[in-house]
Amino acid sequence: MTPTTVERPRLADDPIEVAQRVEAARQLLLHPLMAATEANRSTLRLIRRHQAELTRLFADGAGYRLHVDPNGARLFKAGLGRDSTRPLRRRSGTPFTPRAYALLALVLAALTRSKSQLLVDELVAQVRSTAVDAGIDLDLDGITDRRALNAALLALVDLGILVERDGDLDHWAEKRTQSLLDVRRELLSLMVAAPLSSATSAGDLLDRAALPSAVGGARIAVRRRLLESPILTVDDLTEDQSEWWRRNRNRESEWFRDHFGLEVELRAEGALAVDPDDELTDVSFPGRGSTRHLALLVLEALTEQAPAVTSPGKAWHGIPIDSARVMARGIVSRWAEVLRRDQREAPDAAVDEAFALLESMGLLRRSDDPRSMEVHAAASRYAPAPVIVEKSSTGELSLFDTQDEDD
């Protein structure tokens, strides 16, 4: 009698293994540069366990290169090219200025020839020397450049490239505090995502980094859009990309769910990637803070002025910019009591802040016509239903947080 052969399930079909691989992929999207620290130990263990599958997933699926070694992991995400809506941000949440980016580049250059451990004043001296070599005027006795340098140093600490062993780096710009820093050279070498030698300018470097792989074409370009930004708009795709998406969108929704745990909602205008766990993002919206709440209320009014139902399948809907600003200033006036003092005193600036936030989220954009702006059809998903309430006996308000993170 022939014994019955029981086939063991393949490793890839094991639900636990699949779940671990999805979690590892999600963490790499959230943290493309991951140092081997105690906090990252369990995540790096998963990444190393599934390194082969993850390498194939990112290379074939998105044209991204994955590097894993004992010192950590680096996912070389190519980004979306010349996209100014996703800047590096200071710890306060404000975006890096061009000067801060220049200081960051100077710090990286200085660190390539620094000691593995040094005082912040020693690093500052090397940054000065590097600036001279590069022909860049630098005034670290002035507060503007000093703050830009401080922001660059703190960004490298957050990335794990610099480790503050002792001191108070947070207040170096204002108080000239001293700090002892460790330099993780093994991570420093992984910072740059594209070859510098062949780039002719900063713009050329961005374009080279964003090029799809040779075999990816439309598939990789479209997938990157949904991985880097949750809104995919067919109108913004090239003809080849739009045709590829039309033929493959049902299968693609399964691909995003199976590999990253994302639910892709298919719409006439394109698609929206939604994370059921509400964690796979670097920017929360609306989130806390009076600017975000103000932007949400402005967005509601904008969607009422340009309802998507008037043009089914059309992603962007125009609004006269003058009427949009009048409407937004009215909202500032109506909700002034729960806004910050500077927003109450400068309502036009508050409106600009709200518009800028909505633009960074891909829900609002400037039109080719300087007299108008455009709101995205996806904005209707965020439309709130605010209710004016009276103050409680304690003086607290229920709609807005009284303690703003952006105060």
Side-chain angles (χ1 to χ4, degrees):
M1 182 176 179
T2 304
T4 303
T5 301
V6 179
E7 183 178 355
R8 298 183 63 185
R10 293 179 300 162
L11 187 63
D13 295 333
D14 186 330
I16 296 178
E17 295 288 328
V18 171
Q20 290 178 348
R21 191 161 58 248
V22 169
E23 177 61 20
R26 287 165 59 91
Q27 289 302 314
L28 283 168
L29 288 179
L30 275 173
H31 309 289
L33 180 60
M34 194 179 301
T37 62
E38 183 65 29
N40 295 328
R41 175 181 293 181
S42 60
T43 301
L44 285 171
R45 186 183 299 117
L46 286 182
I47 292 172
R48 294 189 185 102
R49 178 182 178 89
H50 301 282
Q51 180 177 348
E53 296 92 337
L54 291 170
T55 299
R56 285 194 297 270
L57 168 65
F58 285 112
D60 298 341
Y64 293 163
R65 179 166 63 92
L66 176 62
H67 174 88
V68 182
D69 63 28
N71 300 305
R74 172 71 157 108
L75 179 63
F76 289 90
K77 298 200 300 179
L80 298 176
R82 304 191 188 198
D83 177 15
S84 62
T85 63
R86 304 289 292 278
L88 187 63
R89 294 187 177 275
R90 301 174 185 238
R91 287 182 175 177
S92 64
T94 58
F96 261 45
T97 62
R99 194 64 173 172
Y101 281 115
L103 266 297
L104 177 61
L106 288 175
V107 173
L108 291 174
L111 288 175
T112 60
R113 54 190 183 188
S114 74
K115 299 182 296 184
S116 58
Q117 187 178 83
L118 73 171
L119 295 171
V120 66
D121 283 354
E122 294 179 281
L123 179 54
V124 170
Q126 294 187 18
V127 169
R128 291 181 190 270
S129 175
T130 303
V132 171
D133 294 342
I136 297 176
D137 292 331
L138 193 61
D139 180 17
L140 291 180
D141 293 323
I143 190 61
T144 300
D145 277 355
R146 207 159 62 245
R147 284 175 175 167
L149 176 57
N150 203 174
L153 295 175
L154 291 174
L156 293 177
V157 170
D158 292 339
L159 288 169
I161 293 173
L162 291 179
V163 179
E164 187 177 15
R165 184 171 292 277
D166 186 32
D168 183 16
L169 189 60
D170 284 20
H171 300 98
W172 174 81
E174 280 74 21
K175 299 181 181 180
R176 304 293 185 100
T177 52
Q178 191 58 273
S179 296
L180 180 63
L181 304 173
D182 290 341
V183 183
R184 301 198 62 172
R185 295 186 178 281
E186 69 279 3
L187 294 180
L188 180 66
S189 63
L190 298 176
M191 271 292 291
V192 181
L196 296 175
S197 59
S198 58
T200 58
S201 66
D204 181 47
L205 181 63
L206 291 174
D207 292 339
R208 289 174 181 271
L211 285 174
S213 70
V215 297
R219 170 174 57 85
I220 282 183
V222 173
R223 283 179 175 175
R224 282 183 183 176
R225 282 182 174 268
L226 270 176
L227 284 174
E228 300 294 339
S229 177
I231 300 175
L232 175 69
T233 306
V234 175
D235 291 348
D236 296 337
L237 302 178
T238 65
E239 184 176 346
D240 289 346
Q241 293 168 1
S242 179
E243 174 61 22
W244 180 88
W245 173 253
R246 185 187 64 80
R247 289 186 285 104
N248 296 280
R249 64 180 203 156
N250 290 320
R251 184 172 58 189
E252 284 301 290
S253 64
E254 296 179 3
W255 186 84
F256 279 92
R257 181 179 62 252
D258 293 344
H259 295 295
F260 301 102
L262 293 172
E263 296 296 333
V264 176
E265 298 181 3
L266 302 177
R267 295 291 185 267
E269 302 85 3
L272 186 72
V274 178
D275 179 18
D277 295 332
D278 197 26
E279 64 179 11
L280 195 59
T281 182
D282 57 342
V283 180
S284 61
F285 183 76
R288 296 184 60 221
S290 57
T291 297
R292 292 177 178 270
H293 286 290
L294 175 61
L296 189 63
L297 293 171
V298 169
L299 190 62
E300 178 199 22
L302 291 176
T303 56
E304 289 177 352
Q305 287 197 23
V309 294
T310 60
S311 304
K314 183 180 178 182
W316 293 100
H317 306 272
I319 301 174
I321 193 167
D322 288 342
S323 63
R325 294 194 69 86
V326 169
M327 171 273 302
R329 282 196 297 267
I331 292 175
V332 173
S333 176
R334 181 185 181 191
W335 296 97
E337 187 178 1
V338 289
L339 296 178
R340 300 194 312 262
R341 184 175 64 181
D342 63 299
Q343 292 173 321
R344 296 193 298 269
E345 295 175 348
D348 286 336
V351 169
D352 289 338
E353 281 185 356
F355 282 170
L357 175 60
L358 294 175
E359 287 185 52
S360 70
M361 298 301 298
L363 298 171
L364 190 69
R365 73 180 183 185
R366 304 292 172 170
S367 172
D368 293 335
D369 183 350
R371 297 169 299 179
S372 67
M373 61 174 51
E374 297 177 326
V375 61
H376 197 280
S380 60
R381 292 179 58 93
Y382 296 94
V387 177
I388 301 177
V389 296
E390 298 293 332
K391 287 185 178 180
S392 67
S393 58
T394 62
E396 295 178 336
L397 295 165
S398 63
L399 181 60
F400 286 87
D401 291 325
T402 56
Q403 295 296 322
D404 287 337
E405 63 183 17
D406 55 357
D407 273 349

